[in-house]
């Protein structure tokens, strides 16, 4: 459950991502496209916010950079 303000901001941010995906279309084969096909629209922001929070937590615990591998950098 954690911090209410942080949770609210993550969910608001994910709502924006879902609106963009609904209007422009999600990338083919992506996790978001699969979730849009099978889950109700009000469940998705919480699921995406949860996924993002777990990624951020893992990065903080590991104290590693989230930079792309050297071969991917421009």
């Amino acid at each position: 459950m954690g911090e209410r303000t942080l949770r609210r901001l993550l969910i608001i941010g994910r709502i924006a991502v879902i609106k963009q995906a609904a209007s422009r279309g999600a990338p083919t084969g992506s996790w978001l496209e699969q979730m849009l096909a099978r889950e109700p629209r009000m469940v998705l922001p919480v699921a995406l916010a949860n996924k993002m929070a777990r990624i951020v937590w893992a990065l903080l615990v590991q104290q590693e950079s989230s930079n792309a591998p050297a071969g991917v950098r421009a």
Side-chain angles (χ1 to χ4, degrees), residues 1-11 49 53:
M1 294 194 8
E3 174 66 33
R4 289 178 61 180
T5 305
L6 180 59
R7 184 174 63 237
R8 184 177 303 135
L9 290 173
L10 286 171
I11 291 172

